Amino acid sequence: MTNIADMSRDALVVLERELSRDFELQKSNKLALDLTRGKPAPDQLALSAAMDDVLAGDFFAADGTDTRNYGGLRGLPEARALGAELLDTPVENVMCHGNSSLTLMYIVTETALRYGLWGDERRWAKASTVKVLTPVPGYDRHFTLCQSLGIEMINVPMTDSGPDMEEVNRLAALDDSIKAIWCVPKYANPTGCIYSDECVGELARLPATAAADDFVVFWDNAYAVHDFQFPRAPLASIANLAAEAGTADQIVMFASTSKITYAGAGLGFLATSATVLDVLEKRMSVFAIGPDKVNQLRHARFLNGRLEVHMARHAALLKPKFEMVEQTLRDGLGELDIACWTTPAGGYFVSLDTRPGLAKHIEQLAGETGLTLTPAGAPFPCGKDPEDRNLRIAPTYASLEDLSVAMSILVLCIKLSTVRQQLGLSS
Ligand SMILES: Cc1ncc(COP(=O)(O)O)c(C=O)c1O
């Protein structure tokens, strides 16, 4: 098939008829396929089955702590060491708490807003409007979190090497109501890009040049070790760069084992300076006496010293799925010049851009065949993709067989929607 833009109207009409026939056939198959949320598949969860037996009745941590009892809000030293490895930062800067980094992000954002992160007078809520920079496409739950706290979001384009730093620097220097930026520095959700060394350096320096004196970089390193190839792809250490730039008090990092062990029963981590850690610990002591240290101990015993071996097993399960996505998109759309997509070397997502104005329609067509896609627009604040062209593909949970069918349907829906647009048909 040639480039759709070069086809005659007659040829397009014939093609539309063929594609519509295939589409009706797909609908009659009454499938139920799901490419929505980035969840680990059952075979990935099974990789951590041995964690169940690892304690074998020994609940005592290396320092003698009885993990079954209250206390230890910062987390067990051996669990914090795991967080330090994930976040490439000294262990004394790490807190391990709960099973979700997203919960920690909420706690930190709310603390910055209402109580301040530094034990001084600074708190975001003193400003009449509080805004954050949101590189797009990005992680939908960052946006929901901000929306729920009444924080406005300003979109900044993502590039292949991280957020557009010229725009970030310009905006942050201009407006002291801009208080933070959301970053997913490695295998970003959903584009899969890794921030370049230069970009990490600029982000480390950003709090020093921002107009707000309480500017914070939220460093959500959810996919720090989720490579498909080893040795792991490097990411510059923002902790080291921030120490050099004197901005360590204004960088907060997050990670978890949600996609290492169990998404519903893992460990959440945050890391920041001693000053901010003290403030957060005090704040958290209002609603927590201590974390689940039993879970921390079993994670540390299961993963410490063998993290890369464990992640290589995930990679062996995930790589074929991402290769299948790439292959199907290349075979089905490669020569048509109607879509472009990312080919990440790790993480959980592929980001696909259609022609403007088609993403919602493609989502709807897919839905009619029984294929559920992440709602078009989800990777943008308030679900609004200004160009209505981005689709997030989450290939991890489906089996390889289901994924293959789902991707063929997606390719069909993209072609059909594009041909109809080219013909000026509304649906
Ligand atoms: C970028 C990003 N951050 C955080 C999370 C959620 O992490 P957790 O399970 O630790 O709350 C996800 C889950 O998809 C994610 O993609």
Side-chain angles (χ1 to χ4, degrees), residues 197-208:
D197 292 358
E198 200 187 0
C199 175
V200 178
E202 285 195 69
L203 285 161
R205 291 187 290 278
L206 186 59

Side-chain angles (χ1 to χ4, degrees), residues 37-38 99-103 105 139 141-142 184 189 220 222-223 255-259 263 267-268 349 392:
R37 290 232 77 89
N99 75 317
S100 157
S101 61
L102 185 64
T103 307
M105 291 174 221
Y139 177 39
R141 290 181 190 267
H142 290 160
V184 182
N189 177 352
D220 176 3
Y223 303 104
S256 77
T257 66
S258 290
K259 283 145 188 171
L267 302 181
F349 303 100
R392 187 183 80 168

Side-chain angles (χ1 to χ4, degrees), residues 8-252:
S8 69
R9 189 167 177 87
D10 286 351
L12 280 172
V13 169
V14 172
L15 180 57
E16 198 276 337
R17 224 174 282 143
E18 277 173 23
L19 292 169
S20 292
R21 198 191 48 219
D22 291 351
F23 178 69
E24 291 306 319
L25 254 170
Q26 270 307 343
K27 279 208 303 198
S28 66
N29 287 338
K30 297 200 185 320
L31 298 173
L33 298 165
D34 193 329
L35 286 188
T36 57
R37 290 232 77 89
K39 292 200 293 192
D43 55 2
Q44 290 181 266
L45 298 175
L47 296 175
S48 299
M51 194 167 62
D52 247 6
D53 307 322
V54 88
L55 294 185
D58 174 8
F59 294 100
F60 288 87
D63 66 358
T65 300
D66 184 342
T67 57
R68 296 165 297 184
N69 225 322
Y70 274 139
L73 205 46
R74 256 179 219 210
L76 285 183
E78 47 267 72
R80 293 170 67 198
L82 178 58
E85 185 176 355
L86 293 177
L87 288 168
D88 191 13
T89 196
V91 65
E92 59 270 22
N93 294 344
V94 179
M95 172 185 272
C96 178
H97 188 91
N99 75 317
S100 157
S101 61
L102 185 64
T103 307
L104 294 171
M105 291 174 221
Y106 183 87
I107 292 168
V108 174
T109 310
E110 203 206 14
T111 304
L113 192 66
R114 295 178 59 187
Y115 308 97
L117 288 176
W118 304 279
D120 57 20
E121 290 307 306
R122 287 175 291 169
R123 60 214 60 193
W124 294 352
K126 284 187 172 175
S128 54
T129 318
V130 177
K131 301 175 198 156
V132 301
L133 298 177
T134 44
V136 289
Y139 177 39
D140 52 349
R141 290 181 190 267
H142 290 160
F143 309 149
T144 314
L145 188 163
C146 286
Q147 219 180 335
S148 80
L149 291 170
I151 297 173
E152 283 182 23
M153 289 164 270
I154 303 175
N155 293 355
V156 176
M158 275 296 278
T159 74
D160 290 344
S161 54
D164 175 345
M165 286 310 297
E166 214 178 297
E167 186 65 353
V168 166
N169 285 322
R170 190 185 69 78
L171 288 165
L174 201 73
D175 181 352
D176 66 1
S177 66
I178 297 178
K179 302 293 189 187
I181 181 167
W182 284 105
C183 299
V184 182
K186 193 167 169 190
Y187 303 130
N189 177 352
T191 69
C193 81
I194 302 179
Y195 290 15
S196 66
D197 292 358
E198 200 187 0
C199 175
V200 178
E202 285 195 69
L203 285 161
R205 291 187 290 278
L206 186 59
T209 56
D213 64 357
D214 48 2
F215 188 94
V216 180
V217 176
F218 289 138
W219 199 250
D220 176 3
N221 208 349
Y223 303 104
V225 293
H226 302 60
D227 302 74
F228 300 151
Q229 253 146 244
F230 297 88
R232 293 202 289 256
L235 172 73
S237 166
I238 195 165
N240 290 347
L241 292 162
E244 281 167 24
T247 57
D249 278 349
Q250 286 163 273
I251 312 279
V252 187

